[in-house]
Amino acid sequence: MEHPISEFKTKRGIARLLAACRNTADGLSWAWRSEAAFRQEVVVIAIATVVALLLPVSSFQKLVLIGVLILVLIVEIINSAIEAIVDRISLERHPLSKVAKDMGSAAVALTLLLALATWAVVLYNRYL
């Protein structure tokens, strides 16, 4: 028995790659236009990236400092996707909708804590 194929999965080769790039650009564009938290995080991360690149630490430490910031954006995008799916299903208040949105928010908060801890450890080891 052959599995049904989604109309969205019919592209192959370079057409699939180009479609994936368009989808990525659309997702980032939507996040920028629609999510204030995403915009705020991008501004902070842009500044922190410059700081990380200027710090007198190893290349690996710079990568970790910047990487953990990118992780914050990744989790923020996933959180926004969860919120969009919940809202698409229903705008009614429901306990499970709250759970889904709260868990997405908790994931962002934990990622921010990881980023702060990472920066604190690298800076502590460098300057103290």
Side-chain angles (χ1 to χ4, degrees):
M1 174 180 191
E2 190 170 317
H3 296 285
I5 297 175
S6 164
E7 67 178 281
F8 302 107
K9 298 283 186 179
T10 58
K11 294 183 171 121
R12 289 185 164 63
I14 203 80
R16 185 192 63 75
L17 181 61
L18 292 173
C21 289
R22 277 191 303 276
N23 293 341
T24 299
D26 289 347
L28 290 170
S29 175
W30 185 89
W32 180 262
R33 285 189 327 271
S34 305
E35 296 293 330
F38 182 81
R39 289 190 301 274
Q40 292 164 351
E41 289 161 352
V42 166
V43 170
V44 170
I45 288 168
I47 294 165
T49 296
V50 172
V51 170
L53 292 172
L54 295 174
L55 284 173
V57 296
S58 72
S59 295
F60 180 75
Q61 288 172 316
K62 290 177 188 207
L63 174 65
V64 170
L65 291 174
I66 295 168
V68 75
L69 297 174
I70 299 301
L71 183 61
V72 170
L73 289 181
I74 293 167
V75 176
E76 184 66 54
I77 288 170
I78 293 169
N79 180 45
S80 296
I82 291 167
E83 290 176 350
I85 291 168
V86 168
D87 291 346
R88 164 66 173 87
I89 292 169
S90 175
L91 292 175
E92 290 180 30
R93 293 190 184 271
H94 188 281
L96 290 176
S97 296
K98 180 177 179 357
V99 168
K101 289 184 174 191
D102 289 351
M103 290 177 76
S105 179
V108 173
L110 290 173
T111 308
L112 285 167
L113 288 174
L114 173 63
L116 287 172
T118 302
W119 275 75
V121 167
V122 169
L123 293 175
Y124 178 82
N125 285 332
R126 174 65 181 109
Y127 293 105
L128 295 177

